[in-house]
Amino acid sequence: MSMDQSPAMRDALRIFRLTLIAKLLFVGLGVLALVGLGNPAGPGPLLRAAPTLLLALLFLPSWLERPLGRYYLAVGLGLDILFSSLEAALLSAGWPVDRFSQAGVPPQIVDFLAVSPPVEPFFFVLIPLVLLAWSYGRRGALLGSTWAAVLYLYLGLLVLPRDSRLGAFLVQSVMRIALIYLVPLLVSILAERQRRQHAKLAAAHQRLRRHTATVEQLAVSQERNRLARDLHDTLSHSLSALTVQLEALRALLVHDPATAQDAMGEISALARHGLEESRQAIQALRTGPVEALGLSGALRDSLRGLQE
């Protein structure tokens, strides 16, 4: 997948490829139906399948994606609009009945198609238009709709029988061109609104992450200050008192050895007290035994300590 494509383009490209696969399946089922009716698949069905086969060859693989970049999807959808518009124009001129007759379809089936024709390809024009609007926004919707409207008018006038009423064609064209512009425009508006909401959510997520990082840094700073105070109040005081006692002991050893023996006991008690306070301060920094070892591990560790 090209890095030049947005997430909306990538999603639209997946849908476009799925529609191509669905069209290929319909083409295959049509050929199988003709063969099942005892008619060989002549040039007529193959000619009708040619645009779908060409699009599948160009856009199901990814070999054109790198050179075309972000316009890869637009080119594919533009060609899809062209082929669908051409088929819609030929259908409006009575083309399918003649085509099936030339392909050797039995007369009763041709009469059925004349009364109840298949789904008109005009509605298939709306699929690539919707994908253009979703991928490229209002600009893509406007350009795609203009391209489809021009093709519809030009091809419709080109295949319009001479005995047909031009006014009826123009009235029908106005309604269809209105759909060609209206549907993609609505889709582009909804897509842009969704993108704005997604951008707001992404910005709020980034702000929340920054706020969380700030709170975490503040908590770390507060914990460091608390640790500094605890060490100052315990270990620092104990070491200071021990230093003073040792200086006094040095003097007593020269002048009063008996008193120096008593002072050594006090100094030992003071050292043990400072060591215990240091252990408590270090223990407070460690993770709780239940969090680190689990309940059973914490119990075993406590029993081991008690035994020792």
Side-chain angles (χ1 to χ4, degrees):
M1 199 68 68
S2 175
M3 295 301 293
D4 295 334
Q5 294 179 357
S6 65
M9 291 182 186
R10 292 194 291 269
D11 293 338
L13 181 58
R14 294 190 190 99
I15 297 174
F16 177 51
R17 285 173 172 165
L18 287 176
T19 58
L20 288 179
I21 293 173
K23 289 181 180 181
L24 287 175
L25 291 176
F26 287 139
V27 168
L29 290 175
V31 173
L32 291 177
L34 289 176
V35 174
L37 292 171
N39 297 282
L46 296 179
L47 181 62
R48 185 176 183 181
T52 301
L53 294 175
L54 178 61
L55 287 174
L57 178 64
L58 293 177
F59 296 99
L60 283 183
S62 301
W63 59 281
L64 284 178
E65 190 170 355
R66 184 174 296 276
L68 294 179
R70 67 187 308 269
Y71 299 105
Y72 173 74
L73 178 62
V75 172
L77 295 176
L79 289 175
D80 194 10
I81 293 172
L82 172 62
F83 295 142
S84 298
S85 300
L86 180 61
E87 190 171 1
L90 293 175
L91 276 173
S92 65
W95 166 73
V97 176
D98 297 338
R99 256 279 296 285
F100 281 115
S101 298
Q102 295 173 4
V105 178
Q108 61 271 23
I109 298 180
V110 174
D111 295 337
F112 173 75
L113 293 175
V115 176
S116 301
V119 178
E120 187 176 350
F122 167 77
F123 296 103
F124 289 100
V125 177
L126 296 177
I127 296 177
L129 287 176
V130 167
L131 294 178
L132 277 172
W134 181 265
S135 304
Y136 297 94
R138 296 189 186 184
R139 183 180 179 183
L142 178 61
L143 292 177
S145 298
T146 303
W147 169 241
V150 170
L151 286 174
Y152 178 79
L153 288 175
Y154 176 74
L155 295 175
L157 292 174
L158 190 64
V159 301
L160 186 68
R162 295 184 178 180
D163 56 349
S164 299
R165 296 178 59 183
L166 181 61
F169 171 75
L170 293 178
V171 170
Q172 185 184 32
S173 299
V174 169
M175 297 176 61
R176 295 190 174 186
I177 289 174
L179 282 177
I180 286 175
Y181 277 96
L182 181 61
V183 173
L185 178 62
L186 293 176
V187 171
S188 66
I189 292 174
L190 293 176
E192 290 175 0
R193 180 174 299 177
Q194 185 199 37
R195 291 189 188 105
R196 286 196 298 269
Q197 292 176 350
H198 186 270
K200 291 180 179 178
L201 288 176
H205 178 66
Q206 291 296 328
R207 289 195 298 269
L208 181 60
R209 290 185 60 182
R210 290 194 295 268
H211 177 70
T212 303
T214 301
V215 171
E216 182 179 358
Q217 292 176 357
L218 181 60
V220 170
S221 178
Q222 291 176 346
E223 184 63 19
R224 287 176 177 174
N225 292 333
R226 186 191 67 79
L227 175 61
R229 288 194 302 269
D230 290 346
L231 291 176
H232 180 269
D233 294 340
T234 57
L235 184 59
S236 211
H237 285 175
S238 298
L239 291 177
S240 299
L242 185 60
T243 302
V244 173
Q245 292 290 340
L246 288 174
E247 292 294 335
L249 178 63
R250 179 183 298 176
L252 289 174
L253 285 174
V254 177
H255 303 287
D256 192 354
T259 307
Q261 293 295 327
D262 297 335
M264 288 181 62
E266 295 179 2
I267 292 173
S268 298
L270 182 61
R272 285 192 296 270
H273 180 70
L275 179 61
E276 183 63 26
E277 288 183 338
S278 301
R279 287 176 177 174
Q280 292 177 359
I282 293 173
Q283 184 66 28
L285 297 176
R286 296 177 179 173
T287 307
V290 176
E291 298 176 0
L293 305 175
L295 180 59
S296 59
L299 289 174
R300 284 195 298 269
D301 187 66
S302 297
L303 291 174
R304 189 182 303 112
L306 181 61
Q307 182 180 4
E308 292 175 355

